[in-house]
C-alpha cells in the first residue's frame, strides 16, 4: 500500500527536490519526470519510476491506479502526497498530479542498429532544453532510430528537457558521444550524413537522400564547425524568404526530418 508524506522536512522530499539540479542528478543517477501523460508514456515503453508521488485527489484515476500498481509490482514505492509537496518537487505553482523519480538511462553508440530506421537525428552542442525536448518529439513523430547528442549538449534529463519532450524521452533512444567517436562509428557502415547549413546553394527539397540518413543540426547560435560541415556527405539549405536568416534549430530539424522521411 502507498505510504503518505505531507511534511516538507521529510528526508526523501529533500532528496528528490535536489534532483532539479544537475549536480545531484549526476551524483544519484536519477532524474524527475512529471505529468500523467509523460509517466504513462514511460510505463508503456517499459520504464517505471523507483518513486511515484501522486496527489490524493488523483488516486481514483485509472491511469494513476495503473501506475501505482505497476510501480509497486516492480519493487518501487508509491507515495500519496498533497499538491504543495508536488509543487515543491517540480518547482511549479500548478503541479501535475504525479511526479516520478527515474533512473537515468542511455543507449550505446556501438549497439545502435542503423538499419532499424530510415532517419536518425544528430544534434551538436545543443544548448536549449526546449529545443532538445522538441527534437525528441520530432524523432518520435517521424520514427527516427534515435537522437545522438554530440559534444557539450544540454542535459537531456533536466526537468525542462523532460517536460518539453512530452514523453518522447522514453520512446526515442538517446546517445551522448564525442564527434570523433561518432564519425568513426558512422563510417564503419552505411549512412548518409546530411548537415543543415546556410553556406550552401543546395535546396533541401532538391537534394538526394539515402537511407539511413543522419540529419545533423548544429549549435543554435553558431551553427556547426567547419570541420563538421566538411565531413558531411551533403549540406542542404532551407530557404529564408523573410528577414530572418535562419529557423529555430528544433523547427529546422522538424522540417528536414519530414522531407527526408518522404524521400529517403
Amino acid at each position: 500500500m502507498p505510504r503518505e508524506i505531507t511534511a516538507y522536512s521529510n528526508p526523501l522530499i529533500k532528496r528528490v527536490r535536489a534532483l532539479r539540479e544537475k549536480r545531484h542528478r549526476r551524483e544519484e543517477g536519477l532524474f524527475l519526470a512529471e505529468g500523467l501523460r509523460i509517466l504513462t508514456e514511460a510505463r508503456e515503453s517499459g520504464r517505471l519510476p523507483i518513486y511515484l508521488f501522486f496527489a490524493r485527489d488523483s488516486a481514483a484515476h485509472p491511469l494513476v491506479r495503473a501506475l501505482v500498481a505497476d510501480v509497486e509490482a516492480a519493487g518501487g514505492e508509491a507515495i500519496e502526497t498533497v499538491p504543495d509537496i508536488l509543487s515543491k518537487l517540480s518547482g511549479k505553482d500548478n503541479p501535475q498530479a504525479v511526479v516520478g523519480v527515474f533512473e537515468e538511462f542511455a543507449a550505446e553508440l556501438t549497439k545502435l542498429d542503423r538499419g532499424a530506421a530510415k532517419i536518425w537525428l544528430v544534434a551538436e552542442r545543443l544548448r536549449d532544453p526546449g529545443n532538445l525536448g522538441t527534437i525528441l518529439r520530432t524523432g518520435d513523430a517521424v520514427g527516427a532510430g534515435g537522437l545522438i547528442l554530440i559534444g557539450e549538449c544540454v542535459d537531456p534529463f533536466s526537468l525542462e528537457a523532460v517536460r518539453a519532450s512530452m514523453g518522447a524521452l522514453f520512446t526515442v533512444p538517446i546517445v551522448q558521444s564525442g564527434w570523433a567517436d561518432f564519425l568513426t562509428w558512422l563510417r564503419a557502415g552505411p549512412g548518409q550524413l546530411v548537415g543543415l547549413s546556410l553556406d550552401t546553394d543546395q535546396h533541401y527539397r532538391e537534394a538526394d537522400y539515402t537511407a539511413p540518413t543522419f540529419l545533423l543540426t548544429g549549435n543554435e547560435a553558431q551553427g556547426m564547425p567547419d570541420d563538421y560541415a566538411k565531413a558531411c556527405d551533403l549540406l542542404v539549405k532551407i530557404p529564408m524568404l523573410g528577414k530572418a536568416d535562419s529557423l529555430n534549430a528544433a523547427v529546422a530539424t522538424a522540417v528536414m526530418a519530414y522531407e527526408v522521411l518522404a524521400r529517403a
Side-chain angles (χ1 to χ4, degrees), residues 143-201:
L147 171 62
I148 301 170
L149 300 175
I150 304 295
E152 293 296 321
C153 288
V154 65
D155 182 5
F157 298 108
S158 70
L159 195 52
E160 296 80 8
V162 176
R163 283 174 184 156
S165 80
M166 292 299 292
L169 175 78
F170 297 101
T171 62
V172 178
I174 300 175
V175 171
Q176 296 179 316
S177 175
W179 173 249
D181 289 341
F182 165 69
L183 203 56
T184 297
W185 172 82
L186 178 67
R187 297 312 181 196
Q192 180 190 38
L193 184 60
V194 177
L196 282 69
S197 175
L198 297 175
D199 299 321
T200 180
D201 294 326

Side-chain angles (χ1 to χ4, degrees), residues 75-92:
E77 185 173 8
I79 300 162
E80 185 177 287
T81 188
V82 294
D84 283 350
I85 295 291
L86 293 174
S87 179
K88 193 174 186 67
L89 296 180
S90 69
K92 293 177 67 177

Side-chain angles (χ1 to χ4, degrees), residues 121-133:
L121 304 181
V122 186
E124 182 261 330
R125 293 178 301 146
L126 198 66
R127 304 305 300 168
D128 183 86
N131 279 340
L132 191 150

Side-chain angles (χ1 to χ4, degrees), residues 10-262:
N10 183 279
L12 181 60
I13 298 300
K14 292 181 177 180
R15 177 188 171 200
V16 172
R17 186 174 184 273
L19 296 177
R20 288 161 52 187
E21 299 179 16
K22 184 176 181 179
R23 175 172 63 88
H24 291 289
R25 290 196 298 274
R26 288 291 178 262
E27 289 174 355
E28 297 246 25
L30 302 172
F31 71 97
L32 291 171
E34 61 173 334
L36 190 53
R37 175 178 174 178
I38 290 178
L39 266 67
T40 298
E41 289 276 7
R43 171 177 165 264
E44 291 176 351
S45 70
R47 295 193 183 276
L48 292 166
I50 60 173
Y51 295 109
L52 172 69
F53 297 85
F54 64 97
R56 288 172 177 168
D57 59 4
S58 69
H61 194 291
L63 291 178
V64 174
R65 291 204 309 268
L67 278 167
V68 169
D70 285 359
V71 166
E72 292 184 332
E77 185 173 8
I79 300 162
E80 185 177 287
T81 188
V82 294
D84 283 350
I85 295 291
L86 293 174
S87 179
K88 193 174 186 67
L89 296 180
S90 69
K92 293 177 67 177
D93 292 334
N94 54 336
Q96 300 281 342
V98 290
V99 173
V101 179
F102 290 82
E103 294 178 331
E104 289 190 356
F105 54 88
E108 295 182 32
L109 187 65
T110 56
K111 293 184 179 180
L112 294 180
D113 176 9
R114 67 182 74 203
K118 294 171 60 175
I119 182 171
W120 297 75
L121 304 181
V122 186
E124 182 261 330
R125 293 178 301 146
L126 198 66
R127 304 305 300 168
D128 183 86
N131 279 340
L132 191 150
T134 302
I135 288 173
L136 280 170
R137 290 178 69 182
T138 295
D140 181 86
V142 301
L147 171 62
I148 301 170
L149 300 175
I150 304 295
E152 293 296 321
C153 288
V154 65
D155 182 5
F157 298 108
S158 70
L159 195 52
E160 296 80 8
V162 176
R163 283 174 184 156
S165 80
M166 292 299 292
L169 175 78
F170 297 101
T171 62
V172 178
I174 300 175
V175 171
Q176 296 179 316
S177 175
W179 173 249
D181 289 341
F182 165 69
L183 203 56
T184 297
W185 172 82
L186 178 67
R187 297 312 181 196
Q192 180 190 38
L193 184 60
V194 177
L196 282 69
S197 175
L198 297 175
D199 299 321
T200 180
D201 294 326
Q202 178 64 66
H203 193 291
Y204 81 108
R205 302 200 71 180
E206 298 172 354
D208 293 324
Y209 302 109
T210 304
T213 299
F214 290 79
L215 183 59
L216 174 61
T217 304
N219 173 265
E220 293 100 333
Q222 301 170 348
M224 71 182 72
D226 289 342
D227 55 332
Y228 288 34
K230 291 176 181 177
C232 289
D233 301 303
L234 177 65
L235 293 176
V236 296
K237 182 177 183 177
I238 299 174
M240 305 298 297
L241 304 183
K243 293 184 178 181
D245 61 0
S246 64
L247 292 173
N248 167 277
V251 172
T253 299
V255 170
M256 280 299 309
Y258 273 99
E259 185 67 21
V260 171
L261 181 67

